[in-house]
Amino acid sequence: TRFRNVTGVQTCALPISPELFLVASELKSRPDYAVRLARLKAADAATRGLGGYERALKKLPCGLLENNACSVYAVRPGACRGMTSISRAACESAYNGQNAEVQTPSVWTLLRNAHKQALWAALDAANLPSVSYEYHQGLLIALETEDGERRWLAGEDIFAGCAREGTNAADAASNKRIIEQLVAGALGKEPPA
């Protein structure tokens, strides 16, 4: 079944480069690619420079929604996969400006974080950047950069001008320790203290 996006709001999805390349590949394979690219460009123009909270206030839809459903559901980024709720009514109430708690099962949050940390660790072990980018802008870069994936894999920062996820120093240090431990374990080395 396909997930129906109750709100249609572009939350601040922040995919990592491999996820952007996967979605880009899927979009390029579709016969209506030009239509989808135009829709994505319009969404980027409407959301460029806005944070997640500002996007939610403006109720701006993701450029990949069609008939209020994700058009790339099978290859959607982890940030989108982890967005879930146990109550459609709560989501609709929150979307309509009411004070509503949108509950997400804790296992979804744990799985989303574990997936993201494992991907970060794999990228770090391969000496590739483990940066999260703004979805519309990053996807356009992945779509429009000639031979972008190969260039990125070769170490070129094709996403240099793209909005990136900001983290505070404490979170960055914690993420670094987790990544170092995962990489050490994957390489059969003693994890750092």
Side-chain angles (χ1 to χ4, degrees):
T1 58
R2 288 171 49 113
F3 171 76
R4 305 280 306 166
N5 183 312
V6 175
T7 64
V9 170
Q10 163 65 25
T11 58
C12 201
L14 297 163
I16 299 170
S17 302
E19 296 173 315
L20 291 170
F21 292 124
L22 181 63
V23 174
S25 177
E26 172 65 23
L27 289 173
K28 286 179 179 179
S29 74
R30 300 204 178 163
D32 61 348
Y33 171 66
V35 172
R36 292 170 188 270
L37 181 62
R39 189 180 309 134
L40 188 61
K41 285 181 178 184
D44 179 54
T47 60
R48 179 76 60 100
L50 299 179
Y53 182 71
E54 294 167 307
R55 290 167 197 251
L57 286 177
K58 292 181 178 269
K59 298 182 180 182
L60 298 170
C62 174
L64 298 176
L65 288 178
E66 290 179 8
N67 300 318
N68 211 26
C70 179
S71 64
V72 292
Y73 186 77
V75 296
R76 69 198 185 282
C80 298
R81 289 179 185 275
M83 298 300 289
T84 187
S85 171
I86 59 173
S87 171
R88 179 182 177 138
C91 286
E92 289 173 339
S93 294
Y95 177 72
N96 291 319
Q98 299 167 4
N99 188 9
E101 183 180 347
V102 179
Q103 296 179 340
T104 298
S106 60
V107 69
W108 279 90
T109 303
L110 292 171
L111 289 172
R112 181 185 66 220
N113 290 341
H115 170 265
K116 191 172 187 177
Q117 290 167 347
L119 185 52
W120 285 343
L123 290 168
D124 192 67
N127 293 315
L128 293 167
S130 57
V131 178
S132 297
Y133 301 98
E134 194 284 322
Y135 198 15
H136 292 143
Q137 187 181 9
L139 187 52
L140 282 173
I141 291 168
L143 287 166
E144 296 181 321
T145 302
E146 183 73 30
D147 209 13
E149 187 172 8
R150 184 200 57 76
R151 290 166 54 187
W152 178 80
L153 286 167
E156 184 179 339
D157 186 4
I158 68 165
F159 299 102
C162 189
R164 299 168 187 233
E165 178 179 38
T167 56
N168 62 42
D171 286 345
S174 175
N175 290 342
K176 186 177 185 313
R177 281 191 304 276
I178 291 168
I179 290 168
E180 288 171 350
Q181 290 173 343
L182 288 170
V183 171
L187 297 176
K189 297 179 180 179
E190 189 65 31

